[in-house]
Amino acid sequence: MSTMKAVQLIAPRKTLVAELPIPRTPADGLLLKTRCVSICSTDISFFEGHLFPAEYPVVLGHEYLGEVVDIGPDFDASGADIALGDRVVYWGQTDFDGFAEYRSVRPIFSGQLKQDVFWADRNFHDDRHAAAVKVPAGLDDLQASFIEPVTGALRSILTHPPRPGDKVLILGTGPIGIIAGSVIRRVLAPHSIVSVDANPQRNLHAEDHFSQQAYLPEELAEKVEDNTFDYIFDTLPTIKVDDEEKDPRRVAMRKLRPHGRYVLYGASQEMQKFDTWLMLAKGININSAPFDVTSFPMHRTANVIASAMQMLLSGIVDGKKLLSRVCKFTDYDGLVKIFESYRTTTDLKTIVDFRDLP
């Protein structure tokens, strides 16, 4: 067999099932047969047209679990006992191609030091390697694909953590907000941790996982005093509101104390509005974990992904409760409906399951 099926995005909101060549195994890398891929809000932002690939068509999907089916002759096995049949998860910057039966990867495992840096099309330095981890038997397939989003949240939290005793607000309680809130509450000793989301069901999810009080946006504006929080973790998608005074980012900044810290996780290539007056008046520090590998090298992320896996193994992040539904890769119509309804769903994580393919 020399070809595979893949779901391609050919334009915003337009997809098709394509027959593509199976990628070659990199000389220093691995060929993986896809087992599970969880859907990410980044995939949805590309689908909706808020993020843009360098060119169409593109195969999305990066919260990925694959089984090793081929190993390149120059693969560096130091620090990673990789054999055929092992399961591997990776974290890369522009490394999509997950919604396909096979994909190749040039991995960096924890403890390895190597790089292959290039200038990406969206104004940052990227690495042709991806941080990777071997998945142990104690973590099942469905939870293992959550290692990637836990890695993303953990990179941001470790780069800009709250201080012990901080009052914390999680802005948006989709899966990343749930993950970030779970890590902060169980590991980083906040005074308190609350959340806000416009979706009432997701507020219930937040309270089930970590939040001591989950607010609707209007409740946060009316019930919480200004200058309450020390630290905000913003996981919101692209926001468009008619009344700018009710923009949840502006409301959150009003609730942040002077010299409070505002950590931005999500990204959009559509311009978003921040309240520059509040930023100046309060001296608000807006921070993020950089994608640019000259600032945050991929070999450092390789250590983060190993810790992210431990967060799931230990239950600090409850992968079983993060999972809302499983969609077979062969159910193309069902997959497209999930893309189309993602912003209004009450679900958390949806897994695209490839395991019944020959």
Side-chain angles (χ1 to χ4, degrees):
M1 183 175 67
S2 59
T3 63
M4 64 178 183
K5 287 185 170 57
V7 174
Q8 288 185 319
L9 182 70
I10 59 174
R13 296 188 176 274
K14 294 182 179 179
T15 62
L16 58 79
V17 178
E19 197 82 18
L20 301 177
I22 293 176
R24 293 182 177 182
T25 307
D28 60 350
L30 305 171
L31 180 65
L32 305 176
K33 181 178 171 59
T34 309
R35 294 185 66 82
C36 293
V37 185
S38 63
I39 295 175
C40 172
S41 62
T42 301
D43 301 321
I44 304 304
S45 291
F46 275 101
F47 177 78
E48 293 174 334
H50 301 309
L51 291 174
F52 312 102
E55 60 183 3
Y56 292 101
V58 62
V59 177
L60 300 179
H62 61 106
E63 296 184 358
Y64 182 94
L65 171 70
E67 177 184 336
V68 178
V69 294
D70 193 27
I71 300 174
D74 300 327
F75 174 71
D76 179 5
S78 64
D81 182 20
I82 297 295
L84 297 179
D86 285 341
R87 297 176 300 155
V88 170
V89 171
Y90 72 87
W91 189 96
Q93 307 287 21
T94 53
D95 232 346
F96 296 102
D97 293 333
F99 294 132
E101 293 182 80
Y102 294 86
R103 68 148 297 133
S104 61
V105 65
R106 296 173 64 201
I108 301 177
F109 294 93
S110 180
Q112 294 180 336
L113 294 173
K114 52 186 175 181
Q115 63 179 15
D116 186 0
V117 174
F118 68 99
W119 181 248
D121 65 290
R122 285 182 286 163
N123 302 305
F124 69 98
H125 291 94
D126 200 354
D127 197 316
R128 292 182 176 87
H129 297 97
V133 67
K134 175 181 171 180
V135 180
L139 201 61
D140 66 40
D141 285 350
L142 297 179
Q143 291 187 71
S145 65
F146 298 153
I147 295 172
E148 197 277 354
V150 175
T151 302
L154 196 54
R155 288 174 82 257
S156 291
I157 294 167
L158 291 174
T159 307
H160 300 288
R163 294 167 299 222
D166 272 358
K167 293 182 178 179
V168 173
L169 171 65
I170 304 296
L171 196 55
T173 52
I176 290 295
I178 296 285
I179 291 166
S182 298
V183 171
I184 291 170
R185 178 164 188 183
R186 295 184 175 93
V187 178
L188 296 178
H191 169 278
S192 57
I193 182 165
V194 302
S195 60
V196 61
D197 198 286
N199 186 319
Q201 182 59 47
R202 285 194 163 174
N203 284 338
L204 294 177
H205 288 317
E207 290 181 338
D208 188 30
H209 282 262
F210 76 91
S211 182
Q212 294 165 284
Q213 175 71 58
Y215 295 98
L216 295 169
E218 58 271 21
E219 292 175 334
L220 182 74
E222 295 170 3
K223 296 182 179 181
V224 177
E225 293 184 2
D226 290 353
N227 300 337
T228 289
F229 300 108
D230 304 290
Y231 180 94
I232 291 173
F233 194 89
D234 177 356
T235 74
L236 292 174
T238 300
I239 296 294
K240 295 180 180 179
V241 294
D242 295 329
D243 184 349
E244 292 184 354
E245 285 299 308
K246 294 181 180 179
D247 186 304
R249 291 190 168 102
R250 175 170 281 184
V251 172
M253 285 185 178
R254 291 201 295 266
K255 307 306 176 183
L256 191 62
R257 288 178 176 171
H259 276 294
R261 284 171 298 160
Y262 190 111
V263 178
L264 181 63
Y265 179 85
S268 172
Q269 287 176 272
E270 290 189 353
M271 294 297 101
Q272 295 292 281
K273 293 181 179 179
F274 283 80
D275 194 320
T276 56
W277 171 251
L278 288 175
M279 290 162 59
L280 178 64
K282 291 187 170 187
I284 294 173
N285 297 303
I286 297 183
N287 299 297
S288 64
F291 284 168
D292 195 297
V293 295
T294 62
S295 176
F296 201 133
M298 194 62 71
H299 67 81
R300 293 188 182 274
T301 299
N303 298 303
V304 178
I305 197 172
S307 294
M309 185 174 68
Q310 293 301 322
M311 298 275 178
L312 284 159
L313 283 166
S314 66
I316 290 171
V317 176
D318 192 332
K320 290 183 179 178
K321 288 201 297 187
L322 270 176
L323 177 62
S324 291
R325 63 169 144 167
V326 177
C327 175
K328 299 290 188 184
F329 178 65
T330 51
D331 182 8
Y332 169 70
D333 291 339
L335 181 57
V336 172
K337 288 179 182 177
I338 291 168
F339 286 160
E340 292 173 340
S341 64
Y342 185 88
R343 298 299 184 195
T344 58
T345 184
T346 60
D347 291 344
L348 290 176
K349 297 302 286 184
T350 295
I351 296 285
V352 182
D353 189 353
F354 290 72
R355 292 174 297 175
D356 60 352
L357 297 175

